[in-house]
Amino acid sequence: MPRKISVHVLPALFEPSDLAGGIAVVTDVLRATTTIAYALKNGARGIIPCKTIDEAVALRETGNASGKILLGGERGGEPISGFDLGNSPSEWSSEAVADRDVAFTTTNGTRALLRSVLADRVLTGAFANFGAVCDLLLTDSRPIHIVCAGTVGEVSTEDCLFAGAVVDRLASGDSSEGGAAVEELELCDAAQLVLSHWKSAADSPDGLFRAMKAGSGGRNLMRLGLEADIRTAATLDQVDLIPEYLPQSRRISPAN
Ligand code: MLT
């Protein structure tokens, strides 16, 4: 039986119950899921996704022996007043986050994740941990849902590029490393669309970075002087772990 891969180009385009029985990969390449990957690489204990600023602030006074929960996130790409961390991966260094829990709220990414919690497993993915995510998907047999966060209700180019790259890897394997592919994949139309989007960007040198810069999320970050974050988000395989949201603890932490 072919393995089904569905790409949801916006969170509003699926019902949460559609994900039941599947494995969801939530992506907000610029920048939430890139930042989550780096935060866990740098030793953060857990990331607690919050829908609102108030919800994150309410968690501030709770914590464990290593200290109070930190607050991180953005609105419109800009840091939130009174928060410890914004949404640039470089801010989430080991000095800042090691052994700490962080309550995290972003305009699109954390909302997309919270809409996906009815999946059997909820992972987050970005180019930063692309290979690790694909390897895990290859070892699982459940239907795959790639959930693109988009940008305030609009489809975003960088999330679709990531979705297309995953579809490509699962369909054709990694020829440079002799990696496996899924034997038979059933692609929805959106999966076919993102695949051609990815192939056209991947065709030219620095094409991924240039395509990400040209999208609305990229343009917003350029306006804020955050080109370095786009470069970070366009760099593949710097993080060898897979963030997974566990409903019992309400935290995103490295998958086992
Ligand atoms: C989001 O979740 O909306 C994004 O991560 C926005 C940003 O680039 O900060």
Side-chain angles (χ1 to χ4, degrees), residues 28-35 73-78 86-88 104-111 149-152 158 217-218 220-221 224 226 229:
D28 183 5
V29 173
L30 290 175
R31 296 165 290 170
T33 57
T34 301
T35 297
E74 56 69 40
R75 284 295 179 269
E78 307 211 53
N87 196 20
S88 283
F104 188 44
T105 180
T106 70
T107 316
N108 307 286
T110 49
R111 285 174 175 265
T151 306
V152 280
E158 63 279 1
N220 189 41
L221 293 177
L224 296 170
L226 297 170
D229 286 2

Side-chain angles (χ1 to χ4, degrees), residues 123 126-138 169 237 239-243:
L123 316 175
F127 287 105
N129 64 341
F130 172 72
V133 168
C134 292
D135 287 349
L136 187 146
L137 292 175
L138 281 163
R169 172 69 67 89
D237 294 334
V239 179
D240 191 21
L241 57 79
I242 304 130

Side-chain angles (χ1 to χ4, degrees), residues 158-175:
E158 63 279 1
D159 298 341
C160 291
L161 286 166
F162 174 78
V166 173
V167 173
D168 195 17
R169 172 69 67 89
L170 296 185
S172 52
D174 181 358
S175 48

Side-chain angles (χ1 to χ4, degrees), residues 113-207:
L113 185 141
L114 291 167
R115 194 169 163 81
S116 307
V117 297
L118 292 185
D120 274 13
R121 294 187 76 176
V122 184
L123 316 175
T124 73
F127 287 105
N129 64 341
F130 172 72
V133 168
C134 292
D135 287 349
L136 187 146
L137 292 175
L138 281 163
T139 63
D140 197 285
S141 58
R142 281 170 277 210
I144 299 166
H145 295 269
I146 305 181
V147 176
C148 300
T151 306
V152 280
E154 303 279 346
V155 174
S156 63
T157 200
E158 63 279 1
D159 298 341
C160 291
L161 286 166
F162 174 78
V166 173
V167 173
D168 195 17
R169 172 69 67 89
L170 296 185
S172 52
D174 181 358
S175 48
S176 62
E177 292 175 21
V182 176
E183 235 158 62
E184 222 190 322
L185 269 183
E186 181 185 326
L187 305 184
C188 67
D189 286 10
Q192 297 185 29
L193 279 171
V194 296
L195 179 59
S196 22
H197 181 43
W198 159 249
K199 283 188 167 166
S200 68
D203 221 22
S204 59
D206 226 15

Side-chain angles (χ1 to χ4, degrees), residues 6-102:
S6 307
V7 172
H8 307 284
V9 295
L10 280 177
L13 295 180
F14 66 89
E15 287 303 322
S17 58
D18 296 345
L19 273 46
I23 179 162
V25 180
V26 180
T27 188
D28 183 5
V29 173
L30 290 175
R31 296 165 290 170
T33 57
T34 301
T35 297
I36 290 169
Y38 276 94
L40 295 180
K41 176 186 180 182
N42 290 334
R45 230 169 62 93
I47 314 288
I48 309 164
C50 298
K51 213 174 244 177
T52 64
I53 294 174
D54 286 350
E55 197 186 327
V57 169
L59 288 171
R60 187 203 293 270
E61 295 307 318
T62 59
N64 60 18
S66 59
K68 288 178 185 166
I69 286 176
L70 296 172
L71 303 185
E74 56 69 40
R75 284 295 179 269
E78 307 211 53
I80 299 168
S81 161
F83 273 38
D84 306 290
L85 299 157
N87 196 20
S88 283
S90 58
E91 287 177 76
W92 297 57
S93 62
S94 47
E95 292 73 26
V97 301
D99 297 322
R100 304 295 295 269
D101 283 319
V102 189

